[in-house]
Amino acid sequence: MAQDFNFDKIVLRRGTGCIKWDERHDVIPLWVADMDFQAAPCILEALHRRVDHGVFGYTYVDDDYYDSLIDWFSSRHLYTFNRRDVIYIPGIVPALSAIVKALAPAGSGVIIQTPVYNCFFSSIRNNGCRVVENPLLRRDISDSEFTYDMDFVGLERLAADPSNVLMILCNPHNPAGRVWTHEELEKVRDICRRNGVTVISDEIHNELTMPGYRYVPYGTVDPKAIVCISPSKAFNIAGLQIANIVAPDETQRALIDRAVNINEVCDVNSFGVVALRAAYSSEGSEWLEALRSYLHANYLFFREYMLNHLPQCPIATLEATYLPWVDISALGMGSDELVQRLLDEARVWINSGVMYGADGYVRFNIACPRNTLEEGLERICRVLKNNG
């Protein structure tokens, strides 16, 4: 029997030590990418059982963990890999940093497609490498909607430079909201293979596709690629710190494993192991489908609200994630200025596009109860309409 999951429930998060709600106590936070929903009941039940045991020593990652991970991706996404290919790690960002350290000599270039997740920039620079931007190409669909395409001509040119040795792919893309098609990923594969560029694919948002869109694991297009995966975004368990690197090439995997140990990110949280096993189950799948439906309804609400109240601000088509990307250039101010104004006057926190490499845009987080989203939008529109 299907369960009813209440995503409208208000969960009070202030005072729990969460970045989203406790960094500023006087605002509605529609910024950092975690959700305001409780985790799936199957995850909570599994964690309660683990807590009841009462002993929390060093964590052994057992066969059930690998079986759950491999079976989930094989059955749900037709993406197959072996246990020996997997390196577990506390998070995707530590994974990216370790991979760059392992495979990119200091001073070499790492290609990214901007606007893109801000930690791509820091993971590259912190390891002494150069950020090489291959900006996405904006394509307007209407006055109120736009999307992005990859610049394959630019990618070919950058990949042909022998000093550029890696590419970090965001699949699905944050913040552009794109779900890359099989054909687009094939072009990336062909260009990078032809030029000896290794692709690292960050697929943390893979489960969060909108109706009509299908996530294509890059590892199904390029079996030699390095893929980073985690249940943290889809199941709202980022604080439990669990992720995985899939690295089929033995030589690359050995180098990455060494970098993971050099960076001292080789141990994971025992609760993360338990949560992953519970998430990647039939019960977890049922909850996830209900979540996806709720997020889609929130997106439709958000899009209609913006169209009615701020029609001068086009929205990127949200094919995946819960993070709408909005063009605010018609408001006559930069991203940082708008974000600060909304913090000061509307008491709503959103993300500036500057951190993703694109001034003139902002990113919203709509993974919250509808009432919270509506109140945040009302506050924003009231400030912008009253003050011009």
Side-chain angles (χ1 to χ4, degrees):
M1 179 181 294
Q3 294 189 55
D4 290 326
F5 303 107
N6 184 11
F7 296 105
D8 286 318
K9 177 182 177 181
I10 302 294
V11 180
L12 299 178
R13 301 185 64 188
R14 287 200 170 100
T16 64
C18 77
I19 290 174
K20 186 176 184 180
W21 285 86
D22 282 336
E23 191 160 329
R24 283 282 299 260
H25 285 269
D26 58 340
V27 302
I28 293 178
L30 301 178
W31 64 294
V32 66
D34 76 4
M35 301 189 287
D36 289 329
F37 312 125
Q38 288 184 325
C42 61
I43 295 176
L44 298 179
E45 291 163 8
L47 292 173
H48 279 300
R49 290 193 297 270
R50 183 67 186 89
V51 168
D52 287 344
H53 180 267
V55 180
F56 313 110
Y58 294 113
T59 301
Y60 172 69
V61 179
D62 59 13
D63 290 342
D64 287 344
Y65 175 92
Y66 292 102
D67 290 344
S68 298
L69 174 69
I70 292 167
D71 290 350
W72 177 271
F73 277 89
S74 176
S75 62
R76 188 176 177 89
H77 302 299
L78 304 180
Y79 177 30
T80 58
F81 47 86
N82 298 311
R83 172 176 173 162
R84 68 172 181 272
D85 301 336
V86 177
I87 301 171
Y88 55 78
I89 193 165
I92 297 291
V93 174
L96 294 175
S97 182
I99 296 167
V100 172
K101 178 187 287 290
L103 303 181
S108 62
V110 181
I111 301 168
I112 58 175
Q113 296 174 309
T114 51
V116 75
Y117 179 49
N118 53 295
C119 287
F120 284 13
F121 296 89
S122 57
S123 291
I124 294 166
R125 290 170 177 151
N126 288 347
N127 285 285
C129 295
R130 292 180 292 106
V131 172
V132 179
E133 295 189 35
N134 176 222
L136 297 173
L137 302 175
R138 173 169 164 165
R139 174 164 50 89
D140 290 332
I141 298 172
S142 67
D143 290 342
S144 61
E145 190 174 11
F146 63 97
T147 189
Y148 288 95
D149 298 313
M150 292 192 195
D151 179 1
F152 293 111
V153 173
L155 179 59
E156 182 80 59
R157 175 177 52 80
L158 295 174
D161 182 341
S163 69
N164 298 330
V165 299
L166 296 180
M167 174 183 178
I168 303 180
L169 174 71
C170 199
N171 176 42
H173 194 93
N174 168 27
R178 276 298 316 274
V179 177
W180 304 119
T181 66
H182 194 277
E183 292 72 21
E184 287 170 314
L185 296 177
E186 282 185 321
K187 290 181 181 179
V188 171
R189 176 200 65 196
D190 293 344
I191 290 171
C192 290
R193 276 187 182 175
R194 190 159 54 242
N195 293 284
V197 172
T198 297
V199 176
I200 309 158
S201 189
D202 172 359
E203 306 195 349
I204 196 169
H205 291 281
N206 67 306
E207 306 295 348
L208 300 173
T209 52
M210 293 289 161
Y213 296 96
R214 184 177 68 88
Y215 152 68
V216 179
Y218 187 69
T220 63
V221 176
D222 182 1
K224 295 183 178 180
I226 300 163
V227 178
C228 299
I229 47 180
S230 172
S232 62
K233 290 293 184 240
F235 292 94
N236 205 28
I237 54 173
L240 300 185
Q241 298 186 313
I242 194 72
N244 296 279
I245 302 167
V246 181
D249 182 89
E250 185 177 359
T251 301
Q252 289 181 334
R253 188 169 64 252
L255 292 170
I256 295 167
D257 188 60
R258 182 168 180 267
V260 166
N261 282 271
I262 290 172
N263 283 2
E264 301 291 358
V265 286
C266 49
D267 293 319
V268 290
N269 188 319
S270 59
F271 296 117
V273 173
V274 170
L276 181 143
R277 290 197 304 246
Y280 291 158
S281 67
S282 58
E283 294 87 354
S285 179
E286 183 182 351
W287 181 88
L288 179 61
E289 292 312 309
L291 168 73
R292 282 153 46 99
S293 294
Y294 191 89
L295 291 176
H296 180 240
N298 263 11
Y299 168 56
L300 296 179
F301 172 83
F302 175 84
R303 188 173 64 178
E304 183 177 6
Y305 196 100
M306 292 291 288
L307 184 61
N308 290 334
H309 297 275
L310 290 173
Q312 69 273 42
C313 296
I315 302 169
T317 305
L318 194 66
E319 301 176 359
T321 80
Y322 47 74
L323 303 165
W325 181 244
V326 179
D327 177 355
I328 52 94
S329 56
L331 298 178
M333 65 186 89
S335 302
D336 288 345
E337 181 184 355
L338 176 63
V339 168
Q340 190 60 52
R341 182 176 176 186
L342 294 180
L343 270 172
D344 293 341
E345 300 179 31
R347 299 301 188 198
V348 179
W349 193 348
I350 59 177
N351 284 121
S352 168
V354 172
M355 67 193 299
Y356 310 105
D359 201 357
Y361 297 82
V362 293
R363 193 190 77 168
F364 284 79
N365 177 350
I366 60 171
C368 57
R370 187 77 43 77
N371 286 344
T372 302
L373 177 59
E374 185 172 14
E375 183 181 350
L377 292 175
E378 286 176 353
R379 290 187 187 186
I380 289 171
C381 291
R382 190 159 53 241
V383 165
L384 294 180
K385 285 185 176 181
N386 289 344
N387 298 300

